[in-house]
Amino acid sequence: MEPSTLALPVLINGVRALATAYDGYEKGKFLKSDQAVRGEIRRRTDMMRGHLERIQSRAHQEGDRKLRNECEEVLVTLQGVSDDAQMAVTGSPTSIHDGAGKLSRKGQKKIVEHDLKTLNMMVDCTRLINAILSPGEVEIEGEISMSMVHDKIARARNHFLERNMYIDGLVKR
């Protein structure tokens, strides 16, 4: 078995542990919870980046220019996700986001659910990349393409960026 396939259950357990260890977005604990979520997103993007670089290297060796270029596009998007997580409005430990202390219990629950969904989307993206990296070892239904992976990562990125609207109280889902 490839190390990437063995790592998947560990990653899923990591997300579960992060979600259950959530302190919630209460006043005074907001930055701690926020940093944990953003740190997990950055860790996942780094992991996916490593997998994609291996796929890209194989594509280069096999002369598959199309796959190599698709990998490059996905890597650029992943870097954007990582940058978004690092530079989020709540990212600076010295700044205080105005909305952080104003979240109601209902708002706290919504942002926790939103962040958990974002993390689950990142897990799905990791699984797709692992399925491309090690075909047959990761069970995924249907055919997987790099453009499908790119679309899912872009959706996860957009979903993560929506969290600022929750914090600002602009979205009442």
Side-chain angles (χ1 to χ4, degrees):
M1 262 191 185
E2 291 253 345
S4 60
T5 346
L6 296 173
L8 187 60
V10 174
L11 298 175
I12 292 171
N13 287 336
V15 170
R16 282 190 191 127
L18 180 67
T20 56
Y22 236 105
D23 286 329
Y25 285 90
E26 298 172 8
K27 192 170 188 173
K29 295 183 179 180
F30 183 86
L31 284 177
K32 181 180 174 186
S33 299
D34 181 65
Q35 287 172 345
V37 169
R38 291 184 302 104
E40 179 65 13
I41 289 172
R42 293 194 68 218
R43 188 183 70 76
R44 283 201 174 283
T45 58
D46 289 343
M47 178 184 20
M48 284 188 270
R49 186 178 300 118
H51 294 333
L52 280 165
E53 287 170 350
R54 287 177 50 205
I55 294 169
Q56 188 178 38
S57 177
R58 283 184 192 169
H60 179 71
Q61 290 171 352
E62 295 169 2
D64 189 345
R65 182 176 287 172
K66 181 178 184 264
L67 180 59
R68 190 181 71 214
N69 290 340
E70 286 175 337
C71 285
E72 186 61 36
E73 291 173 7
V74 176
L75 286 167
V76 168
T77 301
L78 271 177
Q79 183 61 48
V81 174
S82 183
D83 291 347
D84 290 343
Q86 181 179 5
M87 304 298 180
V89 293
T90 56
S92 173
T94 57
S95 68
I96 298 173
H97 190 277
D98 291 339
K102 297 177 185 172
L103 285 173
S104 65
R105 275 293 206 205
K106 188 176 178 181
Q108 292 169 18
K109 183 179 178 186
K110 284 182 181 182
I111 198 164
V112 168
E113 290 170 358
H114 186 269
D115 285 346
L116 184 57
K117 185 174 180 184
T118 300
L119 292 172
N120 285 329
M121 292 171 87
M122 297 296 283
V123 169
D124 290 343
C125 294
T126 305
R127 289 186 72 230
L128 289 175
I129 292 170
N130 285 337
I132 292 172
L133 185 62
S134 305
E137 292 186 27
V138 178
E139 292 186 33
I140 302 279
E141 291 184 27
E143 187 151 336
I144 302 160
S145 67
M146 194 55 66
S147 63
M148 178 189 301
V149 171
H150 196 189
D151 289 345
K152 286 202 177 264
I153 290 171
R155 271 191 237 125
R157 181 183 188 184
N158 290 337
H159 191 267
F160 173 71
L161 292 174
E162 284 179 5
R163 73 194 304 266
N164 293 336
M165 291 188 291
Y166 281 101
I167 294 168
D168 291 335
L170 298 175
V171 173
K172 308 263 189 229
R173 287 190 186 176

